[in-house]
mmCIF file of all heavy atoms in Angstrom:
data_model
loop_
_atom_site.group_PDB
_atom_site.id
_atom_site.type_symbol
_atom_site.label_atom_id
_atom_site.label_comp_id
_atom_site.label_asym_id
_atom_site.label_seq_id
_atom_site.Cartn_x
_atom_site.Cartn_y
_atom_site.Cartn_z
ATOM 1 N N ALA A 431 11.859 9.786 -6.547
ATOM 2 C CA ALA A 431 11.332 10.493 -7.716
ATOM 3 C C ALA A 431 10.847 11.891 -7.313
ATOM 4 O O ALA A 431 11.144 12.882 -7.993
ATOM 5 C CB ALA A 431 10.194 9.695 -8.350
ATOM 6 N N LEU A 432 10.130 11.981 -6.209
ATOM 7 C CA LEU A 432 9.638 13.288 -5.752
ATOM 8 C C LEU A 432 10.785 14.217 -5.371
ATOM 9 O O LEU A 432 10.733 15.421 -5.647
ATOM 10 C CB LEU A 432 8.677 13.111 -4.577
ATOM 11 C CG LEU A 432 7.294 12.593 -4.950
ATOM 12 C CD1 LEU A 432 6.495 12.245 -3.702
ATOM 13 C CD2 LEU A 432 6.542 13.589 -5.806
ATOM 14 N N ASN A 433 11.827 13.685 -4.767
ATOM 15 C CA ASN A 433 12.995 14.513 -4.422
ATOM 16 C C ASN A 433 13.655 15.078 -5.679
ATOM 17 O O ASN A 433 14.054 16.240 -5.705
ATOM 18 C CB ASN A 433 14.008 13.714 -3.607
ATOM 19 C CG ASN A 433 13.625 13.622 -2.149
ATOM 20 O OD1 ASN A 433 12.944 14.492 -1.622
ATOM 21 N ND2 ASN A 433 14.057 12.565 -1.486
ATOM 22 N N ARG A 434 13.769 14.258 -6.734
ATOM 23 C CA ARG A 434 14.354 14.744 -7.990
ATOM 24 C C ARG A 434 13.494 15.864 -8.579
ATOM 25 O O ARG A 434 14.007 16.874 -9.061
ATOM 26 C CB ARG A 434 14.498 13.599 -8.997
ATOM 27 C CG ARG A 434 15.641 12.650 -8.700
ATOM 28 C CD ARG A 434 15.892 11.690 -9.851
ATOM 29 N NE ARG A 434 14.774 10.793 -10.099
ATOM 30 C CZ ARG A 434 14.594 9.611 -9.503
ATOM 31 N NH1 ARG A 434 15.483 9.186 -8.612
ATOM 32 N NH2 ARG A 434 13.562 8.859 -9.791
ATOM 33 N N ILE A 435 12.198 15.690 -8.536
ATOM 34 C CA ILE A 435 11.273 16.700 -9.075
ATOM 35 C C ILE A 435 11.383 17.993 -8.279
ATOM 36 O O ILE A 435 11.464 19.082 -8.858
ATOM 37 C CB ILE A 435 9.823 16.158 -9.069
ATOM 38 C CG1 ILE A 435 9.697 15.002 -10.068
ATOM 39 C CG2 ILE A 435 8.829 17.262 -9.380
ATOM 40 C CD1 ILE A 435 8.437 14.172 -9.896
ATOM 41 N N LEU A 436 11.402 17.899 -6.953
ATOM 42 C CA LEU A 436 11.500 19.097 -6.115
ATOM 43 C C LEU A 436 12.814 19.836 -6.340
ATOM 44 O O LEU A 436 12.846 21.065 -6.360
ATOM 45 C CB LEU A 436 11.343 18.738 -4.636
ATOM 46 C CG LEU A 436 9.924 18.403 -4.177
ATOM 47 C CD1 LEU A 436 9.930 17.964 -2.725
ATOM 48 C CD2 LEU A 436 8.996 19.581 -4.374
ATOM 49 N N ARG A 437 13.891 19.095 -6.511
ATOM 50 C CA ARG A 437 15.193 19.735 -6.745
ATOM 51 C C ARG A 437 15.193 20.526 -8.048
ATOM 52 O O ARG A 437 15.912 21.502 -8.193
ATOM 53 C CB ARG A 437 16.317 18.699 -6.755
ATOM 54 C CG ARG A 437 16.773 18.285 -5.372
ATOM 55 C CD ARG A 437 18.092 17.535 -5.415
ATOM 56 N NE ARG A 437 18.026 16.317 -6.197
ATOM 57 C CZ ARG A 437 17.741 15.118 -5.698
ATOM 58 N NH1 ARG A 437 17.512 14.973 -4.416
ATOM 59 N NH2 ARG A 437 17.702 14.063 -6.484
ATOM 60 N N ALA A 438 14.374 20.115 -9.022
ATOM 61 C CA ALA A 438 14.327 20.782 -10.323
ATOM 62 C C ALA A 438 13.469 22.060 -10.299
ATOM 63 O O ALA A 438 13.557 22.871 -11.214
ATOM 64 C CB ALA A 438 13.791 19.827 -11.384
ATOM 65 N N LEU A 439 12.674 22.258 -9.255
ATOM 66 C CA LEU A 439 11.821 23.444 -9.176
ATOM 67 C C LEU A 439 12.639 24.685 -8.839
ATOM 68 O O LEU A 439 13.687 24.596 -8.200
ATOM 69 C CB LEU A 439 10.751 23.262 -8.086
ATOM 70 C CG LEU A 439 9.666 22.231 -8.322
ATOM 71 C CD1 LEU A 439 8.754 22.156 -7.098
ATOM 72 C CD2 LEU A 439 8.848 22.548 -9.565
ATOM 73 N N ARG A 440 12.101 25.842 -9.246
ATOM 74 C CA ARG A 440 12.723 27.101 -8.843
ATOM 75 C C ARG A 440 12.601 27.237 -7.325
ATOM 76 O O ARG A 440 11.700 26.678 -6.714
ATOM 77 C CB ARG A 440 12.041 28.284 -9.528
ATOM 78 C CG ARG A 440 12.328 28.333 -11.012
ATOM 79 C CD ARG A 440 11.693 29.515 -11.646
ATOM 80 N NE ARG A 440 10.245 29.421 -11.417
ATOM 81 C CZ ARG A 440 9.361 30.267 -11.873
ATOM 82 N NH1 ARG A 440 9.745 31.296 -12.573
ATOM 83 N NH2 ARG A 440 8.081 30.110 -11.633
ATOM 84 N N ASP A 443 9.183 28.317 -5.914
ATOM 85 C CA ASP A 443 8.176 27.264 -6.098
ATOM 86 C C ASP A 443 8.397 26.122 -5.120
ATOM 87 O O ASP A 443 7.454 25.595 -4.533
ATOM 88 C CB ASP A 443 8.207 26.734 -7.536
ATOM 89 C CG ASP A 443 7.693 27.748 -8.545
ATOM 90 O OD1 ASP A 443 7.031 28.725 -8.133
ATOM 91 O OD2 ASP A 443 7.958 27.564 -9.753
ATOM 92 N N LYS A 444 9.648 25.764 -4.940
ATOM 93 C CA LYS A 444 9.978 24.694 -4.002
ATOM 94 C C LYS A 444 9.563 25.090 -2.581
ATOM 95 O O LYS A 444 8.982 24.287 -1.846
ATOM 96 C CB LYS A 444 11.479 24.393 -4.050
ATOM 97 C CG LYS A 444 11.915 23.280 -3.140
ATOM 98 C CD LYS A 444 13.407 23.038 -3.278
ATOM 99 C CE LYS A 444 13.888 21.983 -2.339
ATOM 100 N NZ LYS A 444 15.327 21.741 -2.457
ATOM 101 N N VAL A 447 5.780 24.778 -2.242
ATOM 102 C CA VAL A 447 5.358 23.376 -2.150
ATOM 103 C C VAL A 447 5.664 22.812 -0.772
ATOM 104 O O VAL A 447 4.836 22.142 -0.156
ATOM 105 C CB VAL A 447 6.027 22.527 -3.265
ATOM 106 C CG1 VAL A 447 5.853 21.040 -3.012
ATOM 107 C CG2 VAL A 447 5.470 22.900 -4.631
ATOM 108 N N LEU A 448 6.860 23.092 -0.264
ATOM 109 C CA LEU A 448 7.230 22.587 1.058
ATOM 110 C C LEU A 448 6.353 23.191 2.154
ATOM 111 O O LEU A 448 5.910 22.481 3.068
ATOM 112 C CB LEU A 448 8.707 22.867 1.344
ATOM 113 C CG LEU A 448 9.697 22.038 0.527
ATOM 114 C CD1 LEU A 448 11.124 22.491 0.794
ATOM 115 C CD2 LEU A 448 9.542 20.566 0.795
ATOM 116 N N ILE A 482 3.999 18.920 -10.985
ATOM 117 C CA ILE A 482 4.637 17.842 -10.226
ATOM 118 C C ILE A 482 4.023 16.501 -10.599
ATOM 119 O O ILE A 482 4.739 15.513 -10.800
ATOM 120 C CB ILE A 482 4.540 18.109 -8.712
ATOM 121 C CG1 ILE A 482 5.446 19.283 -8.334
ATOM 122 C CG2 ILE A 482 4.892 16.859 -7.900
ATOM 123 C CD1 ILE A 482 5.242 19.815 -6.924
#
Side-chain angles (χ1 to χ4, degrees):
L432 285 171
N433 280 333
R434 285 190 296 272
I435 293 165
L436 285 176
R437 279 194 300 268
L439 292 177
R440 290 182 301 182
D443 290 344
K444 181 179 177 180
V447 167
L448 289 175
I482 290 169

